[in-house]
Amino acid sequence: MKRRLLLISMLFLLLPCLSISACAEEESPATEAVPPEYTDFLESIPEELWELLPDSLFSNDCKTLEDATRSMSHFSYLLKIVLTLLGESLPTCLSLLASVCGLLLLSAVLRAFREGIRSDGIGRAFSFCASLTVLCILITRGIDCIERVTAYFSTLNTVTAALLPLMSVLYVAGGNLTAAAATSAGLSVYLTLLEELVGKSILPFCAICLTLSLVGALDQSLKTGTLLSTVKKNYTTLLTFLMMLLLAMLSAQTVLGARSDSLMMRSAKFAAGNLIPVVGGSISELLRTVSASVGYLRGVLGISAILLLLLLLLPTVVELLLLRLTWQITASVAELLGCDSEKKLLEEFASLCGYLLAAVCICSSVLLLSLCLLVRCASAIG
């Protein structure tokens, strides 16, 4: 009789625990719901890119979002985007190439006319006018290019601010509280550097480069090539050094934070399993299910964000590459026609486009690698 009473009392004690376990299993699929912070991140993407994105990318269903991300990651889709961007930028670059080549040909004709009349004063006047005309085209197009790069950094600033809450929510959902704090702190530093250092220094940097290029091209006696090269190399070296420190901080703190969170959760599960063996085992299995769900959500949203950042980067990269190629071709034409001052000016503009491209890629790499850390970071509740 005592054994029966003891067994009945144990069953009554275990009934609330079993009901708690059943409720937790019913709520676990909710972890696959797309958080509202993802919608805020999509709204930070420029509207001109929305036409290139599949409509299913804006869905709140994680499975539909996975299908959209899978289609965006195909080589054919990315190649189509690149070809579309090339088709939009190529006519402008071809028109620019034709205009500059025509001016270089005119400059060569004027140089031949100068040699015919044998007047140094008139010849220098013709050469100065030709160089000044080429310079006007270069400055006009160069200002557009600089404005495009400045606008990209401003957009990257907005996107980073929108990614901060999304990444924090995804880290917290997996129990990585320390990693969430470390990532938020690292990206806040990155946001400050991007806004205060890069955003405010890109215009003075380009102005110094353009001024030194102009002085060196119009007056051959002034050798500004070494000074110009020093300014450009030191600027990109400074950006590389700062972003390298930032990446080291993000990687170290995120990984260490994830390991610390995982150790605490494993200790809690071990304690629960020893104190309440049956219920502790149920909780452990439930946490594994939730961990898999959070890992799935992190993978889908993280890869989607990486692809969106890549699409945000591609227009600026394609335009800078095409402009750099245009200036290099026109510099070769100037060398063939014997236009030395114009050749030097065009080469400096091509070099400036290359350094701007490096600055854009260096600053974008921090955000891309931080998203890769999010995707690869294991959930602490697993």
Side-chain angles (χ1 to χ4, degrees):
M1 188 66 181
K2 292 181 179 179
R3 291 180 179 178
R4 291 179 180 178
L5 291 174
L6 181 61
L7 182 60
I8 292 172
S9 60
M10 289 180 63
L11 287 175
F12 276 107
L13 289 174
L14 287 176
L15 279 176
C17 298
L18 294 175
S19 62
I20 292 174
S21 175
C23 292
E25 288 180 359
E26 290 177 359
E27 293 179 358
S28 62
T31 56
E32 295 185 9
V34 178
E37 288 79 6
Y38 181 72
T39 304
D40 298 334
F41 167 66
L42 289 178
E43 291 177 354
S44 67
I45 302 296
E47 294 183 2
E48 56 265 20
L49 286 181
W50 289 3
E51 300 177 355
L52 305 176
L53 303 176
D55 295 335
S56 53
L57 190 69
F58 299 89
S59 173
N60 291 324
D61 180 57
C62 196
K63 183 62 178 175
T64 306
L65 187 59
E66 180 196 2
D67 296 336
T69 304
R70 194 184 300 275
S71 64
M72 288 174 60
S73 62
H74 287 169
F75 178 76
S76 58
Y77 177 82
L78 296 176
L79 181 61
K80 179 183 176 181
I81 297 296
V82 173
L83 293 177
T84 302
L85 295 174
L86 283 174
E88 293 176 354
S89 302
L90 198 56
T92 305
C93 290
L94 289 177
S95 175
L96 178 64
L97 178 63
S99 301
V100 176
C101 288
L103 288 173
L104 291 174
L105 185 59
L106 180 60
S107 177
V109 172
L110 292 176
R111 185 173 289 103
F113 177 72
R114 177 193 66 185
E115 294 175 355
I117 62 175
R118 298 185 180 183
S119 175
D120 292 337
I122 296 177
R124 289 178 183 176
F126 282 150
S127 179
F128 178 78
C129 291
S131 299
L132 193 61
T133 306
V134 174
L135 177 66
C136 290
I137 294 179
L138 289 175
I139 289 179
T140 303
R141 189 56 184 167
I143 290 175
D144 293 339
C145 177
I146 294 169
E147 289 178 350
R148 183 67 178 266
V149 173
T150 306
Y152 172 77
F153 282 125
S154 177
T155 304
L156 192 63
N157 196 358
T158 305
V159 170
T160 304
L163 266 177
L164 272 171
L166 176 62
M167 294 181 69
S168 298
V169 166
L170 293 177
Y171 273 118
V172 171
N176 302 108
L177 301 179
T178 308
T183 303
S184 298
L187 287 182
S188 297
V189 175
Y190 169 72
L191 198 62
T192 304
L193 286 175
L194 196 65
E195 184 177 4
E196 297 296 329
L197 177 65
V198 182
K200 294 183 179 180
S201 66
I202 194 71
L203 284 177
F205 166 70
C206 293
I208 292 172
C209 292
L210 291 177
T211 303
L212 292 175
S213 301
L214 173 61
V215 171
L218 296 181
D219 192 349
Q220 299 292 332
S221 62
L222 295 175
K223 307 297 182 181
T224 60
T226 303
L227 179 59
L228 182 60
S229 177
T230 301
V231 171
K232 290 186 287 191
K233 288 181 180 179
N234 286 333
Y235 182 76
T236 51
T237 301
L238 176 63
L239 287 183
T240 304
F241 179 71
L242 291 176
M243 296 306 162
M244 181 189 68
L245 290 180
L246 191 56
L247 277 176
M249 181 189 73
L250 269 172
S251 303
Q253 291 188 357
T254 302
V255 173
L256 290 176
R259 296 293 183 268
S260 175
D261 293 330
S262 179
L263 178 61
M264 287 190 296
M265 289 300 299
R266 287 181 183 275
S267 300
K269 286 193 295 184
F270 178 76
N274 284 335
L275 293 175
I276 317 174
V278 177
V279 179
S282 301
I283 293 176
S284 179
E285 292 298 325
L286 174 64
L287 289 178
R288 288 195 185 96
T289 304
V290 175
S291 174
S293 177
V294 170
Y296 170 70
L297 187 61
R298 281 185 186 178
V300 172
L301 296 183
I303 295 174
S304 173
I306 290 173
L307 291 173
L308 287 173
L309 286 176
L310 183 61
L311 294 179
L312 184 66
L313 177 64
L314 277 177
T316 306
V317 170
V318 168
E319 183 177 1
L320 288 174
L321 286 174
L322 285 177
L323 279 176
R324 184 168 177 263
L325 180 61
T326 302
W327 302 136
Q328 288 175 341
I329 293 174
T330 51
S332 301
V333 174
E335 185 178 12
L336 289 174
L337 297 175
C339 304
D340 295 332
S341 59
E342 290 85 353
K343 170 183 173 293
K344 186 176 180 180
L345 195 59
L346 291 166
E347 284 179 342
E348 293 299 340
F349 267 75
S351 176
L352 179 61
C353 287
Y355 281 98
L356 286 176
L357 180 62
V360 166
C361 294
I362 288 169
C363 295
S364 302
S365 63
V366 175
L367 203 54
L368 290 171
L369 289 177
S370 64
L371 285 169
C372 291
L373 284 174
L374 171 68
V375 173
R376 296 298 300 170
C377 183
S379 299
I381 59 177

